[in-house]
Amino acid sequence: MAPQQRRARSRRLTVVAAAVAAAVLASDPGFATSPGATAASAPAPTGTPAPTGTAAPTGTATPNPTATGTPGPVPTAGSGPAFGAYLDYGPLGVARMAQLSGWLGGSELRVGHTYLPGDRWSNIEGRPGFLDVWADWRAEKDDRMLVLNVPMLERNEEGVPDAEVRRLLRQGAAGRFDDHFRALAERLVEAGAPDTVLVLGWEMNGITYTHRCGPDPQAWKTYWKRIVTTMRAVPGQRFTFDFTPSRGRDAVPWTECYPGDDTVDVVGMDSYDQPSGISFDEQVTEPYGLQAHVDFARRHGKPVSYPEWGLFRNGDNPEYMRRMLAWMDEHKPLYNTVTDYCPHGVWQCAKNPRASEVYRAVLSGRTGGPATGPTATAPAPPATSGPTTAPTTAPSTSPTTGPAPRPTADCSPLYLGDWAEYWTGGKVCVRPNRWLRGF
């Protein structure tokens, strides 16, 4: 069945499911939707490393490309910095991009960013229906870019111990999980997104994820190479593979995890405003920090990217926002996507009005032309100081609701698919005591 036909059928089925769910909700008090579920309920990307390294990154490599296809999005002169935001992992993430663009005075959000759930292999393969809405958005304009974070192992946020991680990495390096990544590649090609930017095994230098590098860096690198080789072998693919550690040394120096130029297209970095009290200059100059990142990428002939960045430990910090935007304008990444939920964000988080004003002022009206952003300035006083008055211009478009809370203890979620949740306003859940009354 052709991709267009398959997607149309998938949408029809999920709309029917949504209608059924709505009918059930209206007739049975034992069912409910999670409160506030019309807003972002994404699996929030985690990882809060504190830079502690003392050594500068070392090592070079000679490019030796072996891809069977040309990577999709590539920076071109005059195209301007491609930017976007992580707004939600499902259909709401796509819908909110138009709202955010309106808030930014019509600025063109060329980058859509989402994550594959890392709970089980069936989701890492890209379950049917999940990828379609993002692929459709990507296909609407030639210069758009779809960025997809891909876990390398299931149970990715379940605190798997190092010994088990080491065993799994070695199994992956030996080819045990090849079929899962082949399936993902085939589904992306079939969905019409063969040029997706894949942020594979992100923040591998930390301790948060099961796909971390530290327990066995050599096995991790071999496993990465195997995944990339497997996905590049799928006919029609033009994937771009983005190697993205977190800023700073973290658990291991991220340079020890670099798998080699032949299987990396972009060198990214996730860079939040942390730890508490750190200045932006320190974020630039620390070992394995922002400067080390761009220097490393330059030596290896790779563009840079910033898949995750935003506010964090230093609160509503307009100086960080100003300096980070200036840094990206200076170093011209392939793309950047701010993490837009509290405490990191600027549009969906009302806790950061001063930084939000800076972000909006700098990016409002940008279309696709050359970057004309701010000029880097000397560090300002600590983030706790700053303007004594709130922004005078209210957002013209803002999210309609806050982030959705998790289901309560007496409400078990019933999965009906992303589109069903979109039309019902959130996850449908059933209260166990409603069923127990019948026994």
Side-chain angles (χ1 to χ4, degrees):
M1 184 178 295
Q4 293 85 353
Q5 294 172 319
R6 181 183 60 79
R7 289 201 294 273
R9 183 172 182 268
S10 174
R11 293 193 187 98
R12 287 196 297 271
L13 291 175
T14 49
V15 169
V16 170
V20 172
V24 171
L25 291 172
S27 63
D28 193 334
F31 290 86
T33 54
S34 301
T38 56
S41 56
T46 58
T48 57
T52 58
T54 57
T58 60
T60 58
T62 302
N64 181 26
T66 58
T68 58
T70 302
V74 293
T76 58
S79 64
F83 74 96
Y86 172 74
L87 301 168
D88 187 82
Y89 75 103
L92 285 175
V94 174
R96 286 175 181 158
M97 279 192 281
Q99 291 179 286
L100 178 55
S101 176
W103 181 71
L104 291 172
S107 291
E108 183 180 6
L109 274 64
R110 291 170 48 205
V111 188
H113 188 184
T114 189
Y115 294 72
L116 289 173
D119 54 345
R120 63 191 68 180
W121 282 117
S122 59
N123 284 328
I124 295 174
E125 292 176 0
R127 67 175 181 262
F130 178 83
L131 298 171
D132 292 347
V133 64
W134 291 99
D136 289 346
W137 173 86
R138 163 66 187 92
E140 287 175 2
K141 289 188 176 182
D142 289 342
D143 65 349
R144 284 181 174 175
M145 188 183 306
L146 174 59
V147 176
L148 179 67
N149 278 49
V150 179
M152 291 170 66
L153 292 168
E154 66 177 349
R155 298 183 294 145
N156 199 36
E157 297 184 54
E158 295 185 14
V160 177
D162 282 355
E164 176 69 3
V165 170
R166 189 177 301 112
R167 184 181 69 85
L168 291 169
L169 290 175
R170 291 174 180 176
Q171 289 179 346
R176 178 170 180 179
F177 309 127
D178 289 1
D179 288 348
H180 302 300
F181 294 98
R182 185 177 298 108
L184 171 61
E186 290 171 348
R187 286 177 177 173
L188 284 166
V189 171
E190 181 186 4
D195 57 356
T196 300
V197 178
L198 302 174
V199 186
L200 180 64
W202 70 101
E203 297 183 8
M204 76 299 294
N205 56 323
I207 61 173
T208 300
Y209 299 113
T210 303
H211 66 215
R212 60 190 180 271
C213 167
D216 193 334
Q218 188 56 52
W220 193 92
K221 290 185 285 188
T222 302
Y223 184 26
W224 167 289
K225 288 174 175 286
R226 187 159 195 121
I227 293 170
V228 173
T229 300
T230 297
M231 297 187 74
R232 282 178 172 172
V234 171
Q237 68 80 33
R238 303 194 308 278
F239 301 129
T240 296
F241 289 90
D242 190 332
F243 170 84
T244 298
S246 55
R247 196 195 76 240
R249 185 183 189 279
D250 212 323
V252 294
W254 51 261
T255 52
E256 293 184 7
C257 306
Y258 188 70
D261 291 341
D262 57 335
T263 55
V264 172
D265 300 306
V266 181
V267 178
M269 178 163 280
D270 289 349
S271 184
Y272 292 98
D273 186 21
Q274 61 167 339
S276 297
I278 192 173
S279 70
F280 190 81
D281 282 342
E282 291 172 304
Q283 296 179 34
V284 170
T285 61
E286 67 176 326
Y288 308 99
L290 290 171
Q291 188 64 54
H293 167 234
V294 297
D295 290 345
F296 181 91
R298 187 179 298 113
R299 289 198 304 271
H300 290 263
K302 307 294 182 183
V304 298
S305 70
Y306 299 95
E308 292 183 30
W309 67 278
L311 304 158
F312 198 13
R313 301 295 186 188
N314 296 302
D316 182 15
N317 187 352
E319 181 64 12
Y320 163 84
M321 184 60 63
R322 187 176 299 110
R323 297 286 302 279
M324 188 65 186
L325 288 168
W327 178 265
M328 291 187 289
D329 274 349
E330 178 184 356
H331 294 285
K332 298 176 175 56
L334 177 64
Y335 69 91
N336 82 79
T337 47
V338 67
T339 301
D340 195 51
Y341 57 81
C342 282
H344 312 300
V346 291
W347 179 60
Q348 295 188 109
C349 184
K351 296 179 180 180
N352 301 316
R354 294 183 297 151
S356 175
E357 183 182 30
V358 171
Y359 183 89
R360 191 182 187 198
V362 171
L363 294 181
S364 284
R366 287 200 182 183
T367 55
T372 56
T375 301
T377 58
T384 52
S385 64
T388 56
T389 57
T392 56
T393 304
S396 59
T397 307
S398 60
T400 54
T401 59
R406 294 180 181 273
T408 56
D410 64 342
C411 188
S412 301
L414 177 64
Y415 178 71
L416 294 174
D418 292 319
W419 278 99
E421 291 171 11
Y422 176 78
W423 289 107
T424 59
K427 288 186 181 298
V428 177
C429 59
V430 58
R431 294 184 175 88
N433 59 358
R434 176 70 177 83
W435 293 98
L436 292 174
R437 286 201 298 268
F439 292 92

